[in-house]
Amino acid sequence: MNFNRENDLLIIPDVHGRGFWRDAVNDTPYAHVVFLGDYVDPYPHEGIFPEEAFDVMKEIVDFARSHRSTTTLLIGNHDMHYKSTPFRRMAGGTRYNSMMRPQIYEMMEANKDLFTLAFEAECGGVHCLLTHAGVASGWLHKYESLVGEPTAESLNALLDTPEGIIALADIGWCRGGGALVGGPLWADYSEMSKEVPLPGIYQIFGHTQKLGNTPWVNEHLACLDCHRAFLLTEVLEMAHLLPSANG
C-alpha cells in the first residue's frame, strides 16, 4: 500500500494490555493502521492483569472488525504461543498463561481472517516491511527454499504449514534459544542490528522493549516497542529517508 503525509500509516507497537493505542487511533489522522502484535501477556510490574489484557485484545479485535479495510493486526510471539500448540512447544515465551489459553485461542480462531504475519508499505519511494520482530538475513538464508523473497505474501504463507511454524519458532541465542538468529516472531533488536540489511527493504518492527519514548531507528530498520504509536512518515523522517515536514 502507498502512503504519504496526507494519507499516512499509523503503527501501533506491542500493546500487552496497555491502552495507549486508543488515543492514537482516535486522535491521529491516518489512512491505515497496523498493530505489530503482542496483545496479551502483560508485564506484572505494570499492574495489568491477564484478564484485563484479554479484554483489551477483544477491544482491538472489535475495532479491527469494524474497520476491516483500514486495519491490519500482526501476530507476535506472545499471541502465537496461544494460537499454535506446536509453536508453543517449540518456542513458547515467558508469561504464557495456560488458564487464559482457551479464551485467547478461541478468539483468534474466530477472527483468524484479521490476523497476519507481515505487511508491506510504500512511502516516498521507500519500500517498508512490517513484522513483529523483523526478518533477519541469517534466518532468511536458512529458510530460503521455504520463504523465497521476503514479501508479506511469502511470510504470511508460513502460518499455513507445519514447516512454516517450525521456521517461525526459531529463537536466537540472546533470547535463550538455540538458533543463530531468531525468526520474524523472535528476533531481538540486538540481533537485527548486526544482520546484513535486506536489499531494498526498510524494516519496521517491535518486540524488543525500549524504555522511554525514543525508538531505535537507523537507515535500515526501526524498532518501535516503546509504548507509543508512530506514523510511517515520522519513522522515515527519523531515519533520514524522508525530508522533514518542517524543512
Side-chain angles (χ1 to χ4, degrees):
M1 299 181 68
N2 285 283
F3 299 95
N4 53 48
R5 297 189 195 281
E6 288 70 40
N7 297 283
D8 217 332
L9 175 66
L10 181 64
I11 306 168
I12 310 289
D14 308 38
V15 173
H16 288 301
R18 306 178 186 109
F20 69 89
W21 66 275
R22 296 188 189 96
D23 288 340
V25 299
N26 289 325
D27 300 339
T28 309
Y30 64 88
H32 196 94
V33 56
V34 174
F35 288 76
L36 296 182
D38 275 9
Y39 308 97
V40 290
D41 293 351
Y43 289 90
H45 70 270
E46 294 185 4
I48 303 171
F49 291 99
E51 296 80 6
E52 294 174 316
F54 177 66
D55 288 341
V56 169
M57 186 180 188
K58 286 194 296 184
E59 189 179 349
I60 291 171
V61 167
D62 289 343
F63 173 85
R65 180 63 65 192
S66 61
H67 299 81
R68 184 69 182 91
S69 63
T70 57
T71 305
T72 297
L73 303 182
L74 300 188
I75 296 174
N77 59 300
H78 282 274
D79 316 308
M80 192 65 180
H81 64 191
Y82 293 103
K83 175 180 171 61
S84 169
T85 298
F87 180 88
R88 175 174 57 82
R89 289 172 177 167
M90 291 182 288
T94 58
R95 307 194 303 281
Y96 175 81
N97 189 316
S98 60
M99 298 295 292
M100 297 299 301
R101 195 263 174 176
Q103 302 170 70
I104 299 172
Y105 173 80
E106 182 179 348
M107 183 170 61
M108 293 190 72
E109 279 297 293
N111 296 279
K112 58 185 176 183
D113 62 305
L114 298 178
F115 291 95
T116 191
L117 194 69
F119 181 85
E120 289 178 279
E122 297 279 343
C123 182
V126 181
H127 180 70
C128 303
L129 178 65
L130 286 72
T131 58
H132 174 66
V135 179
S137 56
W139 176 88
L140 187 62
H141 177 74
K142 178 179 178 180
Y143 294 103
E144 184 176 6
S145 61
L146 178 65
V147 181
E149 294 296 317
T151 65
E153 182 179 8
S154 65
L155 292 166
N156 291 335
L158 296 176
L159 295 170
D160 299 326
T161 66
E163 296 81 8
I165 299 301
I166 291 172
L168 292 174
D170 271 11
I171 305 177
W173 61 269
C174 72
R175 289 274 182 152
L180 291 177
V181 63
L185 294 177
W186 267 108
D188 190 84
Y189 173 75
S190 65
E191 298 171 296
M192 290 295 299
S193 63
K194 297 172 185 175
E195 288 285 296
V196 176
L198 300 184
I201 296 176
Y202 189 78
Q203 294 208 60
I204 299 174
F205 50 89
H207 182 60
T208 304
Q209 185 173 210
K210 187 175 188 294
L211 298 179
N213 290 325
T214 304
W216 287 293
V217 178
N218 63 34
E219 68 272 25
H220 302 297
L221 53 82
C223 179
L224 305 182
D225 184 10
C226 54
H227 308 189
R228 76 172 181 93
F230 296 84
L231 288 169
L232 178 58
T233 53
E234 175 189 5
V235 174
L236 296 182
E237 281 182 15
M238 287 189 285
H240 304 293
L241 297 175
L242 195 67
S244 171
N246 298 321

